[in-house]
Amino acid sequence: MTELHLWLRHEARTTERRTPIVPDDARRLVGHGVELTVEESPQRVFPIEEYEAAGCRVAPAGSWVTAPRDAVVLGLKELPDDPAELTHRHVFFGHAYKGQPGAAGLLGRFAAGDGALFDLEYLVDDTGRRLAAFGFWAGYLGAALAVLRHRGRLRAPLTPTTKEDLDETLRPAAADAEFTGLVIGALGRSGRGARAAFVTAGVDPTCWDLAETRDLDRPALLRHDVMVNAVLATTPVPPFLRGQDLDTPGRRLRTLCDVTCDVGSPLNVLPVYDDTTDWDEPVRRLRDEPPLDLIAIDNLPSLLPLESSADFSAALLPHLLDFGVSGAWGRCLDRFRDAFRAHGFDKGESHGH
C-alpha cells in the first residue's frame, strides 16, 4: 500500500458527536504507518488531546478543503454546502444513490472537482453484507425512544447519554402499563438492537422479517401499540404503512419509530411522512384521533456517541488499513461510478485518483 493520508474532518452537523475513528484505533493506524490528520471539533465525544497523544496531527475544523489532494477525507454525515467543487476522495454516508433529495447536487460537486465518494453504506463484502455499520445502536435507540414516548417519559430536547443511564430510564416502573411492540426487520443489525432495547424495557416484542413482510398483514401490524421499522429496502417493496392505514378504524398503533429514515426515496417503506424529526423536536404527531406519534431521527447512534463510535471504529479499522481501489473499496468506487452515470455525469473512470 502506498503511504495513506487520512484526514478526519469535523462534522458540520451540530448534533453529530460520533467519530468513525476513536483515539485507540487512531494510534493503531499511526503505528501502521498511516498519516492521520484530525480536525479540532467542539462536539466530538473524544477530545482532540487524545488524538494528539495517539500521534495524530491536528488541524482546524473545516480545513480539509485545503488538505493535500491525495488525502482521503473521512467523516460520517453530510458535508457543508461549500466548496462547490469536491476534489478529494471522501469516505462518509452520502445518501445519494437512491434518488434522495440533494443527491444530484452532491454528485455534481464531485463531478466539478473530479473527486470521489466512497460511501460507507456500500462498503460491503462480496455477498453484499456491510462491513462497518451503526445499525445495532440505531435500532437500540429507536426502540428506546419509542418506549419512552409511549410511557410519557421522553424529554426534549434530546441529549447524548451513556447506555447505563439510558437503560436506567428504560427499565419498567411499577406504574407502567403493559403494551405490545413490533420490530420489522428483526433479524438485521438494527432489528437486533431494537429487540434488545424492548427486552430492557420489559417488553417481549413481535419480530417480523422477510418471511412476514412478503405478504404483509397490515391489520396485525396496526394491532400493536409501538412499532419500530428497521428495514432498509434495496429493491422496491410494497409499503408497510400507507396514509389510509393510519385512518383504519380500531387502530391500536400509537407510536411509530422509523430507524431507517429513508424519507424521499422511492424505496421508502413508510411513505406516511415527508420529513425527519430531530433532537430538538423528536416527535411529530401524524394523527390526532386516535393519536399516532412518529420518531424519525437520522443520527440516532449519536445519542450514545461513545459506545457507537467504538463499535464502528473497530469494524472500520482493518478496512482503512487496506484502503485502495480494489476489494470492498473497489466496490464502493464502482457504485459511485454507477450513480455518476445514472445522473448523466461523465463516466468518471479517473475518479479515485
Side-chain angles (χ1 to χ4, degrees):
M1 180 182 76
T2 59
E3 184 176 345
L4 175 63
H5 184 185
L6 291 175
W7 193 286
L8 180 61
R9 62 175 169 88
H10 158 73
E11 295 288 337
R13 188 185 296 207
T14 57
T15 58
E16 188 50 74
R17 303 194 70 218
R18 294 172 296 173
T19 176
I21 305 176
V22 302
D24 283 347
D25 290 331
R27 181 176 288 104
R28 294 183 179 95
L29 287 166
V30 171
H32 280 82
V34 175
E35 182 180 355
L36 181 53
T37 300
V38 180
E39 291 187 359
E40 297 171 322
S41 178
Q43 74 245 20
R44 188 186 295 125
V45 67
F46 296 97
I48 194 66
E49 291 79 11
E50 293 190 24
Y51 290 96
E52 282 189 289
C56 303
R57 297 183 180 181
V58 175
S63 57
W64 61 266
V65 297
T66 57
R69 191 166 187 266
D70 64 352
V72 178
V73 182
L74 179 60
L76 289 175
K77 301 300 285 186
E78 67 275 1
L79 295 170
D81 293 337
D82 292 319
E85 299 180 359
L86 297 173
T87 61
H88 295 91
R89 292 169 293 176
H90 282 261
V91 178
F92 69 104
F93 290 100
H95 303 299
Y97 297 167
K98 294 188 291 184
Q100 296 100 322
L106 176 62
L107 292 171
R109 294 169 69 190
F110 281 108
D114 197 34
L117 170 61
F118 292 78
D119 194 314
L120 286 165
E121 185 177 336
Y122 298 89
L123 184 67
V124 298
D125 64 17
D126 53 12
T127 69
R129 184 178 183 274
R130 285 173 60 177
L131 296 171
F134 287 99
F136 179 89
W137 294 111
Y140 196 95
L141 280 153
L145 296 184
V147 168
L148 292 174
R149 174 63 179 184
H150 195 75
R151 287 175 171 165
R153 296 209 291 268
L154 186 63
R155 301 290 177 257
L158 303 178
T159 56
T161 185
T162 65
K163 184 174 182 294
E164 182 180 6
D165 288 345
L166 175 65
D167 287 354
E168 185 64 29
T169 65
L170 194 55
R171 293 188 183 97
D176 287 333
E178 292 188 2
F179 66 88
T180 56
L182 169 65
V183 178
I184 303 185
L187 299 183
R189 286 189 180 100
S190 293
R192 292 197 300 272
R195 288 158 48 198
F198 271 123
V199 169
T200 300
V203 177
D204 184 15
T206 302
C207 297
W208 289 0
D209 209 86
L210 285 174
E212 293 81 9
T213 55
R214 285 194 184 97
D215 186 15
L216 189 73
D217 187 345
R218 286 196 186 90
L221 184 158
L222 295 169
R223 287 195 293 270
H224 290 84
D225 298 297
V226 177
M227 171 188 152
V228 176
N229 173 54
V231 172
L232 180 65
T234 55
T235 57
V237 297
F240 300 159
L241 279 175
R242 306 157 301 179
Q244 62 264 37
D245 299 320
L246 308 189
D247 299 314
T248 300
R251 164 178 55 81
R252 280 189 58 180
L253 186 64
R254 296 292 184 270
T255 309
L256 169 64
C257 180
D258 186 10
V259 172
T260 303
C261 292
D262 217 7
V263 61
S265 166
L267 303 183
N268 184 13
V269 297
L270 292 177
V272 294
Y273 69 101
D274 58 8
D275 199 6
T276 56
T277 64
D278 56 33
W279 291 20
D280 288 333
E281 297 183 13
V283 179
R284 180 177 305 129
R285 181 141 292 185
L286 298 181
R287 292 293 187 273
D288 289 319
E289 290 296 333
L292 175 59
D293 290 332
L294 168 75
I295 298 171
I297 298 170
D298 65 0
N299 66 334
L300 283 167
S302 197
L303 290 165
L304 287 179
L306 277 171
E307 294 88 347
S308 62
S309 294
D311 280 359
F312 188 87
S313 179
L316 185 61
L317 174 66
H319 305 290
L320 290 175
L321 289 170
D322 196 31
F323 184 85
V325 293
S326 60
W329 296 110
R331 286 186 282 271
C332 276
L333 193 57
D334 288 343
R335 191 65 186 82
F336 169 71
R337 289 169 173 161
D338 288 345
F340 237 57
R341 287 189 289 266
H343 282 81
F345 295 115
D346 177 67
K347 187 177 180 182
E349 293 300 337
S350 65
H351 296 275
H353 310 336

